[in-house]
């Protein structure tokens, strides 16, 4: 007498593989991936592209705001650094990646 395996389990049942059993999880996975792509990945890539374009177009005379909150006018543009004038006679070097945004010209005069 075998207590561990019942007769029903020992025989095993042969079930036909239903294509819906495989297809439904794939559809759910694809749907979640599309939602993730259109709501998270795509907007992030768009913002990153806009930021790289903005950093590449910074030129002498532009007024910028750094991530530290400093407002200044660009005096020199290098490969990795910018020479920025914060006030008359006060100049600092700022890493190009430290630029938060370019503001319209005349912003420093309006303050």
């Amino acid at each position: 007498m075998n207590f561990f395996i019942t007769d029903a389990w020992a025989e095993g049942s042969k079930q036909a593989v239903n294509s819906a059993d495989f297809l439904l999880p794939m559809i759910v996975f694809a749907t979640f991936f599309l939602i993730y792509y259109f709501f998270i990945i795509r907007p992030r890539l768009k913002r990153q592209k806009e930021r790289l374009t903005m950093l590449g177009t910074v030129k002498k005379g532009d007024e910028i705001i750094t991530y530290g909150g400093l407002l200044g006018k660009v005096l020199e543009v290098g490969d990795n650094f910018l020479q920025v004038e914060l006030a008359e006679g006060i100049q600092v070097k700022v890493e190009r990646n430290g630029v938060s945004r370019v503001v319209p010209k005349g912003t420093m005069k309006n303050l």
Side-chain angles (χ1 to χ4, degrees), residues 44-109:
R44 184 179 296 169
L45 291 175
K46 184 178 177 185
R47 282 192 306 269
Q48 183 179 7
K49 184 177 179 183
E50 289 172 356
R51 175 167 165 64
L52 290 175
T53 302
M54 182 267 303
L55 289 176
T57 59
V58 172
K59 60 188 179 300
K60 182 178 177 180
D62 284 346
E63 294 181 10
I64 61 167
I65 296 180
T66 66
Y67 278 114
L70 299 174
L71 173 66
K73 185 175 182 178
V74 177
L75 299 177
E76 282 183 36
V77 178
D79 290 336
N80 295 322
F81 291 94
L82 306 171
Q83 183 77 24
V84 179
E85 182 178 44
L86 302 177
E88 187 143 346
I90 301 175
Q91 297 178 2
V92 295
K93 278 197 173 198
V94 177
E95 188 176 13
R96 188 180 287 264
N97 289 331
V99 175
S100 172
R101 64 180 185 243
V102 177
V103 294
K105 292 187 179 183
T107 303
M108 289 180 67
K109 292 180 184 176

Side-chain angles (χ1 to χ4, degrees), residues 14-29:
K14 304 266 185 201
Q15 287 185 339
V17 177
N18 189 355
S19 64
D21 292 341
F22 175 74
L23 192 59
L24 186 62
M26 293 305 289
I27 291 173
V28 171
F29 178 74

